[in-house]
Amino acid sequence: MASIILPRVLEVGAGAMARLPAVLQGLGCRNPLIVTDRMMAQLGYLERLRGLLAEAGMGGDVFADTLPEPTAASLEGGLAMVRDGDYDAVVALGGGSPIDSAKAIAVLGRHGGIINDYRFPRQVDEAGLPVIAIPTTAGTGSEATRFTIITDERTDEKLLCVGAAFMPVAALVDYELTVSVPPRTTADTGIDAMTHAIEAYVSRKANGYSDSQALAALRLIGPHLRRAYHDGEDRAAREAMMLGATLAGVAFCNSSVALVHGMSRPIGAFFHVPHGLSNAMLLPAVTEYSLPAASARYADCARALGFAGLDDDDARANAKLLDTLVAINDELQVPTPAGFGIDRDRFFEVRHTMAEQALASGSPGNNPRVPEAEEIVRLYEALW
């Protein structure tokens, strides 16, 4: 049996952001706290959002100090505002990091404690303040998931927090907000979304519902990722990627992620590599490692992505999948860890710790081929 959880409201398409006042009204909310970052202010999106709220006679206080990789400390300013204010909702505007920050602020602001109290394996189902997510990248799918990831900067560990409390009540999925996203971020977030859909489909927790969403996401992402990267003004590609990212979020929220994500989080925590970029670095090698345990499923992914033909047998489809994943990383200029600027000695020094943290996250246990710690260490070494 699969237990499916989704946002109560999903507004999808051009101009969806303008629905915010009506969505808040429908939830009985009038005084939201907007959680965002400085880039949204610079791009003018924050001003537009506050204008929509002001026209409807609603509040619009702002916490704009979220970090690209949120930490326990980076939440403090927003938490202080929630504790001292009279907010009845949290509006998250931005990529995965502002949305993850908003989820944590909404739960901690209502229930207290520190983020470590909420880490997996605890299931957090007690509702916080309602979150309305407005994603501005086609990537994390955080607008449609019951997860948030916050780094504990004292230990350099990314904490996974799970439960219905972290599922936004509403998501306004407006692809027009992604047209200004630069190529590097388009690539990283797009490969992140592709990874979500692939891992959801090959996961040991996959089910009929998550399969349908994962395959739909892959059919959208495969033909449009490179188009959006090369031409940010390609609205058809932007629209397909945005919907694909949300469907991939729905897929892995109701299945799981697997080994790529398990290994990716420690790289992000230790070396401050953006999450989508560390996924991209890992995806070809981890797919090759995992393939023998789920050959038919990976072949389905290759065909859905359009990397293989419908008449290709599984072996041929999977060979094309591996070749295309490597080719996409080349075309989208995904750097190696060395190319990113990571120090080799430090990387090798912490590889065993990273492997233990990856296993502790639980994600590798959902992989079709479940690794031992030493196998993860070898994959990190091969990645270098």
Side-chain angles (χ1 to χ4, degrees):
M1 187 188 83
S3 179
I4 308 304
I5 178 167
L6 297 163
R8 193 189 312 173
V9 178
L10 260 175
E11 299 275 356
V12 180
M17 184 169 84
R19 295 279 302 147
L20 177 62
V23 168
L24 283 166
Q25 232 161 3
L27 296 170
C29 300
R30 296 198 60 79
N31 189 32
L33 174 67
I34 302 168
V35 174
T36 187
D37 59 26
R38 298 289 172 192
M39 182 56 70
M40 293 301 105
Q42 285 171 26
L43 291 169
Y45 295 157
L46 177 57
E47 198 177 331
R48 267 172 59 193
L49 198 66
R50 295 188 81 187
L52 290 167
L53 293 171
E55 278 173 33
M58 295 179 172
D61 289 351
V62 177
F63 172 67
D65 291 332
T66 63
L67 292 181
E69 301 286 319
T71 65
S74 75
L75 304 176
E76 280 304 319
L79 286 171
M81 290 180 76
V82 169
R83 282 194 290 263
D84 298 341
D86 186 25
Y87 304 108
D88 52 17
V90 175
V91 173
L93 174 68
S97 299
I99 297 175
D100 277 1
S101 299
K103 292 177 177 186
I105 287 167
V107 171
L108 285 166
R110 174 164 280 183
H111 298 298
I114 59 171
I115 196 68
N116 247 301
D117 300 335
Y118 296 86
R119 68 182 300 172
F120 183 80
R122 179 177 171 186
Q123 285 285 324
V124 187
D125 293 328
E126 310 80 11
L129 289 171
V131 174
I132 298 91
I134 307 174
T136 60
T137 60
T140 68
S142 188
E143 69 276 4
T145 74
R146 58 193 166 88
F147 310 113
T148 192
I149 295 172
I150 307 293
T151 299
D152 181 347
E153 60 273 56
R154 296 170 307 172
T155 58
D156 267 345
E157 185 177 1
K158 285 197 170 190
L159 307 178
L160 173 64
C161 304
V162 179
F166 296 109
M167 173 63 77
V169 173
L172 313 183
V173 183
D174 187 341
Y175 76 86
E176 291 184 325
L177 302 178
T178 68
V179 172
S180 61
V181 174
R184 176 76 270 137
T185 308
T186 297
D188 298 346
T189 54
I191 296 175
D192 190 22
M194 181 167 68
T195 306
H196 291 152
I198 292 172
E199 292 206 307
Y201 191 74
V202 303
S203 165
R204 289 166 174 257
K205 292 184 176 175
N207 55 74
Y209 180 81
S210 63
D211 284 353
S212 69
Q213 305 303 295
L215 291 172
L218 291 170
R219 290 185 189 109
L220 288 163
I221 293 166
H224 294 104
L225 170 59
R226 285 169 281 192
R227 275 175 55 182
Y229 171 78
H230 290 297
D231 178 9
E233 300 286 333
D234 184 335
R235 292 171 66 85
R238 290 293 197 185
E239 184 170 19
M241 286 302 299
M242 193 65 158
L243 180 57
T246 297
L247 293 178
V250 170
F252 87 81
C253 177
N254 293 290
S255 169
S256 75
V257 288
L259 180 56
V260 174
H261 275 75
M263 290 181 64
S264 178
R265 290 188 203 108
I267 294 175
F270 275 103
F271 301 106
H272 309 293
V273 180
H275 171 69
L277 185 55
S278 52
N279 278 351
M281 290 174 178
L282 286 158
L283 184 59
V286 173
T287 300
E288 186 173 15
Y289 166 83
S290 307
L291 229 159
S295 140
R297 291 230 141 207
Y298 278 108
D300 288 343
C301 291
R303 296 184 196 104
L305 284 160
F307 299 170
L310 296 178
D311 52 352
D312 285 324
D313 65 19
D314 288 357
R316 186 158 174 71
N318 284 326
K320 288 182 175 180
L321 175 64
L322 292 176
D323 287 347
T324 310
L325 291 178
V326 172
I328 283 176
N329 276 9
D330 286 344
E331 187 176 337
L332 274 52
Q333 299 184 340
V334 173
T336 61
F340 184 79
I342 293 173
D343 177 74
R344 184 188 187 282
D345 290 346
R346 177 69 176 149
F347 187 85
F348 276 76
E349 180 191 336
V350 299
R351 69 195 192 282
H352 292 280
T353 306
M354 291 199 298
E356 293 299 338
Q357 288 185 0
L359 284 173
S361 75
S363 301
N366 305 322
N367 207 54
R369 181 179 175 187
V370 179
E372 303 285 336
E374 270 312 308
E375 290 178 287
I376 297 179
V377 169
R378 285 200 294 277
L379 281 167
Y380 279 132
E381 290 169 353
L383 177 66
W384 188 265

